[in-house]
Amino acid sequence: MQIMKFPRRYLIVILTFISTSVCYVERVGFSIAYTVAADAAGVNQSSKGTILSTFYYGYACSQVPGGWAAQKIGGRKVLLLSFVLWSMTCALVPLDPNRVLILVVARLLVGVAQGFIFPSIHTVLAQWVPPHERSRSVSLTTSGMYLGAAMGMLFLPSLVKYKGPQSVFIAEAALGAMWCILWFKYASDPPRSEHPKATAAGFGESLLPIKGSQKMKVENGGSSVRSAAKIPWKRILISFPVWAIVVNNFTFHYALYVLMNWLPTYFELGLQLSLQEMGSSKMMPYLNMFIFSNIGGVAADYLVTNRILSITRTRKFLNTVGFMVASLALMAIPIFRTSGGAVLCSSVALGFLALGRAGFAVNHMDIAPRYAGIVMGVSNTAGTLAGIIGVDLTGKLLEAARSVDSDLSSPESWKAVFFIPGLLCIFSSFVFLLFSTGERIFD
């Protein structure tokens, strides 16, 4: 790396990108493996929804604590600990749909461990990445989620077919362990001398965890003990710009988690298609997210850097375009009764949701660079609640629809499943237009 003069912050961004990819391989992998095992065991759709949503209960519990821990201890250390915990859980837990208690506890543990990941990542990126690179850096990092989901959809059904559902857990644990080795070897906190203008720029030195005895220079040439900054919890929780992010994070994850957990069931039962026989087409929705997420990040930085639009207008423009197009595509999914139509609509929906993420997701660091992990923890808690509500509600909707259409092949059985996130997208885009800002509001 030294020979190539490769900036360390680029390496950090690449490693965080890989981390989100591995996490979403795990999430998609569990959905695929558990669906196969549960269907073979005769588990009903409502019970499947309950198990699939269990992860998000643990995930919700650790979002804000994850932001606090990253703020106090350091995102780099917390991120490593998170990976170690969920990888060990995957390696040690058997996948048996009849052993419900073990599965519930395991999914809760994985959820708790992974809940520390995104607050930690936002803390690390706020330390390392200057403001003019934030959109594309965050977009690249978060696009790892979609590439991981795409790779999971492409390869894991075949792994389940030939090696059994338990093999998915072993593969996921191995990926987690390999990432831990890379992060331990190459990741570091930014040197405090690297960014002398860090305070003015809003990144680097001023955002690192502060030790109680650390001294700082003052204007008259003396020194004083710098105490740890008090987190403005009340201001964060009553801030309209924060709530604009929260609402959009909820909607984004409601749509994402419903599709991630139930799209395999829609292909299998709604369209009577086999995932193994669909080939590479089943990965297209997530691959599209990967592409559009990076397009959104590059476009946002271009608009801001070239002063075509202000930061505020850039965030609002991308968020609105992304969510409004996604809403139309989501509501169109049950209209198409072919694999091509379903893949196209879900690809457009997820792709434009990812484009919209260049609006609300980067906004954490715009309004509160010092507390990016904390604000991310708050908003991601809402996103996690969306997973709990959306995934479980979808199971109940389908179980109710099964009383009318026993094989769930009717478009009417799936209409509510896709209309709910579609309408949420419209509502959320208006909230973001009204209340969001790109200005720094927390020092």
Side-chain angles (χ1 to χ4, degrees):
M1 292 299 174
Q2 292 177 350
I3 295 175
M4 296 170 61
K5 301 296 183 182
F6 192 73
R8 178 56 69 96
R9 69 180 183 277
Y10 293 171
L11 178 59
I12 296 294
V13 171
I14 290 170
L15 288 174
T16 57
F17 163 79
I18 296 172
S19 75
T20 60
S21 298
V22 173
C23 285
Y24 271 68
V25 167
E26 190 282 327
R27 297 190 199 183
V28 169
F30 180 81
S31 176
I32 292 171
Y34 177 72
T35 296
V36 171
D39 288 345
V43 177
N44 64 42
Q45 301 304 310
S46 181
S47 297
K48 281 172 60 179
T50 300
I51 294 296
L52 289 171
S53 66
T54 298
F55 167 90
Y56 303 106
Y57 286 93
Y59 196 63
C61 291
S62 57
Q63 290 293 316
V64 174
W68 177 86
Q71 179 80 16
K72 297 296 182 181
I73 303 171
R76 177 178 59 86
K77 296 175 183 176
V78 174
L79 188 55
L80 179 61
L81 177 62
S82 169
F83 257 76
V84 170
L85 291 176
W86 76 252
S87 298
M88 288 179 62
T89 304
C90 284
L92 298 175
V93 173
L95 177 57
D96 184 351
N98 295 315
R99 302 172 72 177
V100 176
L101 181 59
I102 292 178
L103 273 182
V104 166
V105 172
R107 294 311 291 167
L108 282 173
L109 288 175
V110 172
V112 168
Q114 290 202 13
F116 285 84
I117 289 175
F118 285 94
S120 299
I121 285 175
H122 271 66
T123 301
V124 169
L125 294 182
Q127 293 168 0
W128 274 100
V129 180
H132 66 279
E133 294 179 2
R134 280 181 182 158
S135 291
R136 59 180 178 267
S137 296
V138 172
S139 294
L140 177 63
T141 294
T142 55
S143 72
M145 302 187 303
Y146 321 132
L147 185 64
M151 295 298 101
M153 287 293 287
L154 180 62
F155 294 112
L156 295 182
S158 297
L159 184 62
V160 171
K161 181 179 180 180
Y162 294 110
K163 297 293 184 178
Q166 188 66 47
S167 64
V168 172
F169 279 24
I170 304 302
E172 292 165 354
L175 287 174
M178 287 187 286
W179 183 88
C180 288
I181 294 171
L182 290 174
W183 187 252
F184 182 79
K185 183 174 181 180
Y186 294 111
S188 65
D189 291 327
R192 294 183 181 272
S193 60
E194 183 173 321
H195 303 300
K197 298 181 179 179
T199 303
F203 73 105
E205 178 178 348
S206 64
L207 305 176
L208 287 169
I210 301 167
K211 297 179 181 179
S213 60
Q214 180 185 325
K215 293 185 177 181
M216 62 176 290
K217 293 182 179 179
V218 294
E219 291 182 1
N220 61 10
S223 63
S224 64
V225 177
R226 183 179 186 176
S227 61
K230 184 178 180 181
I231 299 171
W233 288 106
K234 183 178 179 180
R235 288 181 58 210
I236 289 173
L237 294 176
I238 65 174
S239 167
F240 281 112
V242 170
W243 277 99
I245 298 171
V246 167
V247 170
N248 281 266
N249 202 328
F250 180 94
T251 295
F252 174 87
H253 285 97
Y254 187 103
L256 175 61
Y257 290 151
V258 165
L259 289 178
M260 180 181 296
N261 286 278
W262 288 103
L263 205 55
T265 302
Y266 180 67
F267 288 137
E268 295 268 4
L269 301 182
L271 300 179
Q272 306 292 309
L273 298 170
S274 168
L275 285 176
Q276 286 82 12
E277 295 173 0
M278 286 182 65
S280 61
S281 65
K282 60 182 175 289
M283 67 176 281
M284 289 308 298
Y286 303 108
L287 185 60
N288 215 38
M289 288 192 90
F290 170 74
I291 295 169
F292 272 75
S293 178
N294 287 290
I295 289 174
V298 172
D301 280 346
Y302 178 82
L303 292 172
V304 171
T305 302
N306 291 278
R307 299 185 179 181
I308 298 172
L309 293 175
S310 67
I311 294 177
T312 299
R313 291 183 176 179
T314 295
R315 303 292 184 241
K316 291 184 177 184
F317 172 71
L318 289 171
N319 194 89
T320 303
V321 171
F323 275 57
M324 294 301 286
V325 174
S327 70
L328 297 175
L330 282 164
M331 292 187 284
I333 290 175
I335 297 174
F336 293 89
R337 303 304 298 158
T338 63
S339 62
V343 167
L344 174 64
C345 288
S346 56
S347 296
V348 171
L350 290 177
F352 276 86
L353 278 172
L355 183 74
R357 196 177 173 92
F360 79 87
V362 190
N363 206 213
H364 303 87
M365 288 189 281
D366 295 328
I367 66 173
R370 180 187 293 275
Y371 307 109
I374 298 290
V375 178
M376 183 61 183
V378 172
S379 75
N380 231 27
T381 298
T384 308
L385 291 175
I388 295 171
I389 296 169
V391 175
D392 194 35
L393 176 61
T394 299
K396 289 178 169 57
L397 289 172
L398 292 176
E399 197 61 33
R402 173 162 272 178
S403 62
V404 178
D405 181 9
S406 60
D407 61 1
L408 295 179
S409 60
S410 168
E412 293 299 320
S413 301
W414 293 88
K415 192 172 182 180
V417 170
F418 298 116
F419 266 60
I420 291 173
L423 294 173
L424 282 173
C425 283
I426 297 172
F427 171 75
S428 298
S429 63
F430 280 108
V431 170
F432 200 77
L433 278 173
L434 288 173
F435 298 115
S436 68
T437 179
E439 303 299 321
R440 183 173 180 174
I441 61 176
F442 296 102
D443 293 325

